Amino acid sequence: SSNSHSSPPPNDRGTIASAPENNSSSVVSITPKSKTKVIDSLTNQLLCGSLAGLLSDAMVHPIDTVRARMQTQVSSNAQYKSTTHAIRHMFSHEGPLAFYKGFSAVALGTVPGHGLYFAAYEAVKKSLGAEHEGVWMIAGFAADVAGALAWTPMDIIKQRMQIQRSEKGNMTADGKVPVRLSSWKITKDLWHSEGARGFYRGFGAGIATYAPFVMIYFALYERSKILMADRYYADGRSPLQLPFYTCLVLAAMAGASSALVTCPFDVVKTRMQTRTVHHYNHLLHGVQTIAREEGLPAFFKGSVPRMVWIGGGTALTMGFYEALKQIGYGRTVIEEEEV
């Protein structure tokens, strides 16, 4: 799936302003230093995170399906030559609904996944107190591990649905188009064949993929917001006051950059979870096999759709999350003044 976060709390900056002149004298007043303290309840974080994740995933799922198709194809017999070729081929041969294969699994898994993700991030960041890269990265790691408890089973079922091809050129021996397996059928088959352990296949590879991604993402995004506020607002306003569109752009840039860096691990993880023609015993075995049989470029298969999927997804999730928190249940805003 797509990962994002909340904004850092505002700092203690104040504003110096000039009062209007009167007839007797010119007076300059200094407004008190203000501090806005925002307290979000756990309920608010869970609900807003879950809904934000669902809305975001619904919008970027099509490009995620393209990513899964490209990453699981063998280099020596690649069906899709590029991202645009994959999109055109899927649309013409399978129709628009093919892009939403596996979304039923996403709808069920993303709600608890994002809820755990945001709650863990906020809780760890709050417990550590300070606002700097180290704290954001630790909180991001904790968030990824918590979210992965729900996301890993969802990813396995989703990706096995996504790579199913229902086109005319992919027929069975008796000339029929293969029957698409539902998420429920895949779940039952997986349970009977591998048990509970099968739903967490590739869990370690997932952590190896998304934990570095989340850590890099939060460090880039949180710091870029602070730098942007310092650079463009001389009155010392908080990063929380940045325009909505600015936050979206910063989140997309941070997400896309992090997605590119961690793409090699995602290729191995996806192949381990789908288990089509690729059977890797563990993460290192997958890395060694791909490097030996397909070369280094194979580690960046699907990198473009992955960057679009994650860059867009993190921006949308962040935007929805912040917007929903503003109107969410359980938010307390305290204005404090210091002379």
Side-chain angles (χ1 to χ4, degrees), residues 228-240:
M228 188 68 72
D230 287 341
R231 180 178 178 84
Y232 291 100
Y233 297 117
D235 57 4
R237 71 180 72 181
S238 158
L240 284 178

Side-chain angles (χ1 to χ4, degrees), residues 235-305:
D235 57 4
R237 71 180 72 181
S238 158
L240 284 178
Q241 296 173 286
L242 285 171
F244 181 72
Y245 64 86
T246 301
C247 294
L248 289 181
V249 172
L250 293 177
M253 292 174 62
S257 301
S258 304
L260 178 61
V261 173
T262 57
C263 187
F265 288 114
D266 190 48
V267 172
V268 181
K269 176 192 73 72
T270 301
R271 291 184 174 189
M272 288 180 67
Q273 293 178 334
T274 53
R275 292 178 67 83
T276 49
V277 296
H278 311 283
H279 292 83
Y280 308 136
N281 298 326
H282 46 75
L283 178 63
L284 181 58
H285 178 231
V287 172
Q288 293 173 334
T289 304
I290 293 174
R292 181 178 64 253
E293 297 180 357
E294 301 178 66
L296 294 179
F299 287 104
F300 289 92
K301 282 185 174 181
S303 59
V304 173

Side-chain angles (χ1 to χ4, degrees), residues 1-326:
S1 87
S2 343
N3 299 313
S4 55
H5 83 301
S6 64
S7 304
N11 52 29
D12 298 339
R13 297 165 184 160
T15 301
I16 299 178
S18 296
E21 293 185 4
N22 55 32
N23 293 330
S24 58
S25 63
S26 178
V27 180
V28 176
S29 64
I30 301 178
T31 61
K33 214 176 187 182
S34 62
K35 180 180 180 181
T36 302
K37 187 176 182 180
V38 180
I39 303 175
D40 288 302
S41 69
L42 178 62
T43 302
N44 190 29
Q45 293 165 4
L46 286 170
L47 291 176
C48 294
S50 299
L51 185 54
L54 182 60
L55 292 171
S56 172
D57 284 342
M59 298 179 72
V60 298
H61 188 79
I63 196 66
D64 179 40
T65 301
V66 176
R67 172 202 63 84
R69 293 280 186 95
M70 294 188 69
Q71 288 185 339
T72 53
Q73 65 181 359
V74 183
S75 297
S76 59
N77 188 29
Q79 181 177 14
Y80 308 121
K81 298 179 177 62
S82 65
T83 301
T84 54
H85 177 246
I87 294 173
R88 292 197 306 268
H89 189 278
M90 289 176 62
F91 188 84
S92 61
H93 289 78
E94 299 178 68
L97 292 181
F99 293 96
Y100 274 92
K101 287 180 177 180
F103 186 70
S104 58
V106 172
L108 292 174
T110 197
V111 172
H114 275 92
L116 291 170
Y117 177 88
F118 280 109
Y121 180 75
E122 298 283 7
V124 173
K125 192 170 69 166
K126 180 180 179 181
S127 67
L128 294 177
E131 287 289 335
H132 56 73
E133 282 77 3
V135 170
W136 300 327
M137 293 177 79
I138 293 172
F141 179 83
D144 182 68
V145 173
L149 296 175
W151 281 329
T152 302
M154 177 201 78
D155 271 344
I156 292 174
I157 298 169
K158 175 197 71 172
Q159 290 175 152
R160 293 190 181 194
M161 294 181 70
Q162 286 176 320
I163 63 173
Q164 293 183 107
R165 291 168 172 76
S166 54
E167 57 193 84
K168 294 180 179 179
N170 187 31
M171 295 183 177
T172 59
D174 56 358
K176 295 181 179 179
V177 176
V179 177
R180 279 184 54 199
L181 299 179
S182 65
S183 58
W184 177 240
K185 181 68 166 76
I186 291 175
T187 302
K188 288 196 301 181
D189 290 347
L190 185 60
W191 176 261
H192 289 311
S193 63
E194 301 183 53
R197 185 177 181 179
F199 291 95
Y200 283 92
R201 182 175 296 282
F203 182 82
I207 297 299
T209 299
Y210 288 110
F213 160 77
V214 173
M215 294 168 72
I216 295 170
Y217 167 73
F218 276 128
L220 289 175
Y221 178 68
E222 299 275 25
R223 178 57 61 189
S224 65
K225 286 186 68 177
I226 292 175
L227 293 175
M228 188 68 72
D230 287 341
R231 180 178 178 84
Y232 291 100
Y233 297 117
D235 57 4
R237 71 180 72 181
S238 158
L240 284 178
Q241 296 173 286
L242 285 171
F244 181 72
Y245 64 86
T246 301
C247 294
L248 289 181
V249 172
L250 293 177
M253 292 174 62
S257 301
S258 304
L260 178 61
V261 173
T262 57
C263 187
F265 288 114
D266 190 48
V267 172
V268 181
K269 176 192 73 72
T270 301
R271 291 184 174 189
M272 288 180 67
Q273 293 178 334
T274 53
R275 292 178 67 83
T276 49
V277 296
H278 311 283
H279 292 83
Y280 308 136
N281 298 326
H282 46 75
L283 178 63
L284 181 58
H285 178 231
V287 172
Q288 293 173 334
T289 304
I290 293 174
R292 181 178 64 253
E293 297 180 357
E294 301 178 66
L296 294 179
F299 287 104
F300 289 92
K301 282 185 174 181
S303 59
V304 173
R306 175 173 163 78
M307 291 173 66
V308 174
W309 165 49
I310 291 185
T314 50
L316 291 170
T317 303
M318 181 280 300
F320 286 133
Y321 181 61
E322 294 293 353
L324 290 167
K325 280 208 306 182
Q326 293 292 333

